[in-house]
Amino acid sequence: MITAAPSPRQPAPLTPPRWQQAWRDAVRDPRELLALLGLEALAGRISDEAAAQFPLRVPRGFVARMRHGDAADPLLRQVLPLDDEMRPVPGFGLDAVGDAAAKKATGVIQKYQGRALLVATGSCAVNCRYCFRRHFPYAEETAARDGWRDAVALIRADSGIDEVLLSGGDPLSLATPKLAELTDALAGIPHLRRLRIHSRLPVVLPERIDDGLLAWLSSLPWPVALVIHANHANEFDAGVDAALARLRQAGVHLLNQAVLLRGVNDSVDALAALSERCFAAGVLPYYLHQLDRVAGVAHFEVDDDRARDLHAALAARLSGYLVPRLVREVQGDTGKRPL
């Protein structure tokens, strides 16, 4: 009896990493978001024009932390495009913090002595409505676009730069091999001492903190600080806590940088809860930023007198190490300006 030859084994289909699939599954339709939360009645406040200019994107895991049926939910307010964004307000412009004037090379911004900021990518897992780079020309100004060539050359040539900041967009939206491409090139520069990463992904898409990313972080030759951007205690859940714990185990120093936002965290109770929740998750409160005055975000602004009062009340309530510095970024200053 002659048996048929076995058919060649078909290669298993490639599946994207879990975090990339969660990224692709993000909610992109404002009306779908409202339907998921039982808030269809709010549809009349959505601005289709604002959503076209700066599209909604929010991971479903972050949506799950929003309170069902609550139109004032502080997480929802951060992502929902509203008519308020389309009202021109004097003093609010396209480049609120002088990024264009501080450009030193493609995707490289240098405002402060000793530090070079790389706009690694324009992609984010969540589009925060108060974003100060919502009008940034990412298509032309992304450091990773040419294999980091301009950025690495500038840093190598300037012995005064001892810290590199990865920003964006969100740098952790890049695949880990792309991030390693940069750090491999930087590893031979003797004057570098620190790497800092600013990312919302550990909070809004904790699946990103996977084995490959942790292996890359653990292999780096410099101390690494990762600044998460959480604005409210409700942004934390068990998945976020687990991701942050894994980052700490990899030797990463964790800091939080929040923005003071009307209707989100502009109360002493909300700010205190945020600091307490950060510290419980192993994150040190670092900065509380006054809003950068970019066009479309005026409805989030808290005036300076109110901000100072809130900060003073926070300092009276909490231990000093739980009180973030209240600051504003001002074009031309040599550092963040305390208020």
Side-chain angles (χ1 to χ4, degrees), residues 25-40:
D25 290 342
V27 178
R28 300 166 188 264
D29 182 343
R31 288 168 179 81
E32 180 190 359
L33 175 59
L34 293 179
L36 289 169
L37 297 171
L39 292 169
E40 292 91 340

Side-chain angles (χ1 to χ4, degrees), residues 72-327:
D73 179 80
L75 278 59
L76 174 64
R77 181 164 170 78
Q78 293 180 58
V79 301
L80 191 65
L82 300 175
D83 285 332
D84 293 334
E85 296 180 35
M86 303 311 300
R87 295 175 186 148
V89 178
F92 286 76
L94 299 182
D95 183 4
V97 295
D99 280 345
K103 174 189 171 181
K104 298 299 181 183
T106 302
V108 181
I109 295 171
Q110 192 173 9
K111 298 178 181 178
Y112 308 137
Q113 184 175 349
R115 286 150 283 178
L117 183 148
L118 276 56
V119 180
T121 174
S123 296
C124 283
V126 62
N127 284 344
C128 302
R129 307 314 300 180
Y130 55 87
C131 180
F132 72 97
R133 289 202 181 112
R134 58 186 290 164
H135 305 291
F136 190 82
Y138 287 110
E140 300 87 34
E141 295 296 340
T142 300
R145 187 180 60 181
D146 61 355
W148 311 99
R149 184 182 63 244
D150 287 357
V152 172
L154 181 141
I155 294 162
R156 188 184 303 279
D158 187 347
S159 62
I161 295 174
D162 59 15
E163 182 175 2
V164 169
L165 287 69
L166 296 184
S167 184
D170 197 305
L172 294 190
S173 68
L174 295 175
T176 303
K178 189 66 176 177
L179 294 167
E181 180 182 85
L182 170 65
T183 52
D184 287 350
L186 294 176
I189 300 177
H191 49 268
L192 284 187
R193 297 182 182 178
R194 291 175 298 280
L195 179 70
R196 194 191 327 168
I197 302 168
H198 285 250
S199 177
R200 277 278 266 166
L201 264 68
V203 173
V204 303
L205 196 76
E207 297 91 336
R208 177 63 183 101
I209 313 305
D210 59 13
D211 291 344
L213 182 74
L214 293 164
W216 168 67
L217 289 166
S218 299
S219 73
L220 296 177
W222 322 278
V224 178
L226 196 156
V227 183
I228 68 171
H229 289 248
N231 298 309
H232 196 276
N234 291 359
E235 296 179 32
F236 294 81
D237 66 2
V240 173
D241 289 343
L244 296 173
R246 297 189 78 194
L247 287 165
R248 294 199 314 276
Q249 290 163 7
V252 176
H253 304 275
L254 298 176
L255 307 169
N256 186 52
Q257 179 172 296
V259 181
L260 184 59
L261 300 167
R262 180 161 27 123
V264 174
N265 57 15
D266 58 331
S267 72
V268 177
D269 287 344
L271 292 172
L274 174 60
S275 283
E276 295 276 14
R277 190 62 180 86
C278 280
F279 195 74
V283 181
L284 193 66
Y286 171 40
Y287 277 148
L288 176 62
H289 265 272
Q290 267 292 53
L291 186 74
D292 294 319
R293 306 187 92 205
V294 68
V297 308
H299 56 293
F300 285 114
E301 189 171 46
V302 177
D303 70 63
D304 284 355
D305 287 342
R306 172 67 175 153
R308 291 188 188 98
D309 289 344
L310 287 169
H311 193 254
L314 189 66
R317 179 182 298 196
L318 298 180
S319 298
Y321 59 87
L322 293 177
V323 182
R325 295 175 62 198
L326 177 64
V327 297

